[in-house]
Structures are given as structure tokens and as C-alpha cells.
Amino acid sequence: MSSYREIAELIVKEKACVALTGAGISAESGIATFRDKGGLWEKYDPVRYASIDAFRTDPSKYWLIRGEFIRNYDRYQPNSAHLALTKLEDLGLLNHVITQNIDGLHRKAGSRKVIELHGSLREINCLGCHRTYLAPKVPDGTPPHCECGAILKPNTVLFGEQLPPVALENAYREASRCRVMLLIGTSAVVQPAASLPHVARQNGAVVAEVNPEKAFPDADFFFAAKAATALPEIVAQVEQLM
Ligand code: OAD
């Protein structure tokens, strides 16, 4: 396993770090990942429950898997890994968090520069009058309907949909500019997010992966640990060096 001290020294020296996060960073907040044992895609076929075609045919399916989170939005809290990234931003060492997560926990943790590549469950849009509701305040029903009578759709990217272009452009810019990329809790298989660590390395950055199971073979540093354990350790070392 790589040394926390060594990556901390690089973060302090380079002053140009970004984090790319996935579902694993929120595991300790009680949110199941997708591809681990017991993960969401083990229970629900993503094509039948989370694709745009499935939503058009029967929106109740996506609401079945997402409605509970949205209605309990305030109960889910950031863990020490999200908070460690916020601290790194406050110290002026983290340029951006790029996340594939739709749980809103980076923003709840106080991170300001967050790129939500797959959107967010916090916002729920009316497909008719385009009014936006904010979780957890959403009308009853599976699927819920807007006051105007149209169906509501969470502002998340479903399979078969394009990523928000501005978010994607910003993510590529940040990946190519950074000197250190922290790759945290992602299986790094879903494109285009999965290409970002390659973009970072091709532009000369060091990639440091935090994951109990190695997912990115090209990582320069690898911490075989839970995010909620490793991130506070790294940031504690950073603070000692400042
Ligand atoms: P995955 O479920 O594919 O991968 C989760 C990763 O987190 C795995 O590599 C785990 O080993 C790791 N992990 C588990 N617990 C951890 C912990 N406590 N600390 C750190 N790492 C841990 O989730 P993502 O990579 O985020 O997209 O999945 C990417 C995208 O696929 C999602 O955004 C979603 C999904 O389909 C859409 O829905 C569009």
C-alpha cells in the first residue's frame, strides 16, 4: 500500500488536486453502491429501471428505486471522507470535486466547487411546466405528478441520456489541468467519467486511488482502504505539512 505521507507531500507541493468520486465514497453514509455485492444493480436491472427508454415507458420503475432516497433526502449525511475533501478545498489545495454521485453529499459537506456529472436527486423537474421541486419536498405518488398534472423526473442522467455538456466540459478541463487526481470509490467502468483518470495521467498528473479493491490498474498510488478511513488520514498529513 502507498504511503499517506507521500501523497500528502505531493498534494501540498503541487497545489492542483482534483477528486473524482463514485458511489464508494458514500458507502459509509449508508448508501449502497451499484456493482458491489448487494449493490443496486444486483437487485434491479439498470436498463429496465434506470434508462431513459424505461422512464418513458413506465416512470414508476425509476421512482420505485429513487423515491425513497428523495423523500428521505435530509436523513443522509456526509461522512468523514466528504468532509476531508471539503477541508482540502478550504486549504486551497483541491480545485474541484468531480462526482458521479447523485446523492448531493459533497455539497452537504460544504464543498463548493462540485461538478455533478450524473446530475442530482435534489432537483426534481416537471416534464410539463418545467417547475423544479427540491427534495425532500415532492408530491406523493409513484410516479409523483406536478400540480400541473405532468410527470416529475429527477434531474439525473439516465442510461441512454447525454451528460450535461457544461459539467462534462468542466470535468475534462479540470482533469487535464490537475497535477494530482484522487480517484475515490469508483469502479471506473462507466464512460465518460472512466476516461477522466486517463486524461489526467496523459497530461502528466499523478493518480492516487482510494478503494478497498483496486479498480484502476494504472494508478500511481493505491490505498486499499475505505474512503472514510483513508481521506481523513491523507488530509491530517497535509495539515501537518502546512
Ligand atoms: P460502483 O458501484 O460501480 O463502484 C463502487 C466502487 O466503490 C467499487 O470499486 C468498490 O470497490 C468501491 N467501494 C466500496 N466501498 C467503498 C468504501 N467504503 N470506500 C471506498 N471505496 C469503496 O459505483 P460507481 O463507480 O460510482 O451511473 O458507478 C459509476 C456509475 O455507474 C454510477 O454513477 C451510476 C452507475 O450505473 C448512472 O446511474 C448513470
Side-chain angles (χ1 to χ4, degrees):
M1 186 153 108
S2 306
S3 118
Y4 290 130
R5 185 73 175 189
E6 223 182 311
I7 191 64
E9 280 170 0
L10 262 182
I11 291 170
V12 171
K13 177 169 157 252
E14 300 288 0
K15 296 187 176 49
C17 182
V18 304
L20 173 61
T21 68
I25 195 170
S26 297
E28 304 296 297
S29 295
I31 302 172
T33 62
F34 297 96
R35 295 176 181 81
D36 289 305
K37 206 168 175 316
L40 201 64
W41 297 156
E42 198 177 271
K43 283 192 224 144
Y44 302 100
D45 171 6
V47 175
R48 286 176 53 223
Y49 283 81
S51 67
I52 187 63
D53 288 345
F55 191 87
R56 287 195 188 112
T57 313
D58 180 3
S60 67
K61 287 230 172 66
Y62 190 62
W63 276 98
L64 190 75
I65 62 170
R66 291 306 187 194
E68 196 189 330
F69 182 91
I70 289 171
R71 294 200 161 88
N72 291 293
Y73 188 81
D74 291 341
R75 283 198 208 151
Y76 292 94
Q77 292 302 323
N79 63 53
S80 55
H82 301 97
L83 295 169
L85 291 181
T86 307
K87 178 155 265 178
L88 213 50
E89 183 182 348
D90 291 345
L91 291 169
L93 297 172
L94 183 72
N95 291 346
H96 268 86
V97 175
I98 306 168
T99 189
Q100 298 163 86
N101 298 344
I102 56 178
D103 55 31
L105 291 184
H106 286 297
R107 289 192 195 279
K108 269 193 195 170
S111 288
R112 294 172 299 279
K113 292 197 245 160
V114 182
I115 299 171
E116 292 175 320
L117 278 180
H118 295 167
S120 166
L121 290 168
R122 176 157 160 72
E123 289 175 12
I124 297 108
N125 297 329
C126 172
L127 297 182
C129 70
H130 304 296
R131 171 177 167 182
T132 298
Y133 293 77
L134 288 184
K137 291 196 177 122
V138 61
D140 291 338
T142 306
H145 291 75
C146 179
E147 280 168 14
C148 79
I151 298 279
L152 295 176
K153 178 182 176 293
N155 187 15
T156 54
V157 177
L158 302 186
F159 287 102
E161 282 190 302
Q162 297 292 316
L163 269 61
V166 173
L168 190 58
E169 194 185 316
N170 289 343
Y172 276 117
R173 187 198 60 229
E174 292 303 320
S176 54
R177 261 191 204 164
C178 71
R179 305 295 306 153
V180 178
M181 176 177 275
L182 299 173
L183 183 67
I184 307 162
T186 176
S187 57
V189 292
V190 174
Q191 294 293 355
S195 67
L196 294 170
H198 295 286
V199 170
R201 285 194 88 243
Q202 279 153 15
N203 285 278
V206 157
V207 173
E209 181 179 13
V210 175
N211 194 320
E213 312 279 341
K214 193 166 194 169
F216 186 65
D218 293 346
D220 303 280
F221 288 77
F222 174 55
F223 300 96
K226 291 181 174 174
T229 306
L231 268 294
E233 285 276 0
I234 293 170
V235 175
Q237 296 282 337
V238 163
E239 284 185 296
Q240 280 179 20
L241 291 164
M242 291 193 72

